[in-house]
Amino acid sequence: MSDDVVRQLGAILDTTEMRDVRAQHAAEAVRAARGYRWVGIYDVGDEEIELVGHSGVQAPARIRVPVEQGLSGDAVRTRETVNAGNETIVPILGAETGMVIGTLDVESDKPNAFDEADQRFLEACAQALMPLFD
């Protein structure tokens, strides 16, 4: 299934639509693939992490957070996936620099929802999202 979603993400990102529209469609594809409650795609700057696009039942509580705070800050700082039970944050790394250029934030209604298969799936999705940050 992850290969299908990765191909779908490639097709979504390889369009002339505006970046925020492509990000929203990509978030929708990731969310629909596994029935997650909410998916957000964020830019990572020097000082802030800012929402680019999302899919889910409600808008996020915050669209900008300081880069050093929270689970997203942990993912940026460690450059590793952070699994907090019902939320997983996957860093999106720049191909040339290896620096964190974005994050994929995924939430579930279920406690301890994310297993190793989910993590592998989400990490593959994060890698497929790299063209969104070019």
Side-chain angles (χ1 to χ4, degrees):
M1 176 199 295
S2 67
D3 289 343
D4 293 340
V5 177
V6 166
R7 278 192 291 279
Q8 184 180 6
L9 291 174
I12 289 167
L13 298 178
D14 190 26
T15 67
T16 58
E17 291 186 295
M18 295 194 55
R19 183 172 185 251
D20 60 335
V21 173
R22 290 182 291 143
Q24 179 182 343
H25 290 314
E28 289 168 355
V30 173
R31 182 174 171 244
R34 299 261 174 122
Y36 299 124
R37 183 182 75 80
W38 190 87
V39 173
I41 299 169
Y42 289 81
D43 273 330
V44 174
D46 291 338
E47 296 182 16
E48 285 187 323
I49 301 168
E50 182 175 3
L51 184 68
V52 180
H54 75 280
S55 175
V57 294
Q58 63 190 31
R62 299 183 341 175
I63 59 171
R64 286 186 189 94
V65 295
V67 75
E68 70 276 352
Q69 288 185 357
L71 297 175
S72 294
D74 291 345
V76 170
R77 189 172 39 265
T78 64
R79 297 180 358 180
E80 294 183 5
T81 299
V82 175
N83 182 341
N86 70 334
E87 181 176 11
T88 293
I89 315 267
V90 182
I92 300 169
L93 305 177
E96 294 178 16
T97 64
M99 300 292 293
V100 180
I101 54 176
T103 63
L104 176 62
D105 183 341
V106 182
E107 297 177 10
S108 175
D109 289 327
K110 303 170 194 151
N112 301 313
F114 299 99
D115 60 16
E116 288 181 26
D118 283 294
Q119 184 168 328
R120 283 191 303 275
F121 168 73
L122 294 172
E123 288 172 348
C125 290
Q127 187 169 5
L129 289 170
M130 283 176 51
L132 186 64
F133 298 86
D134 289 342

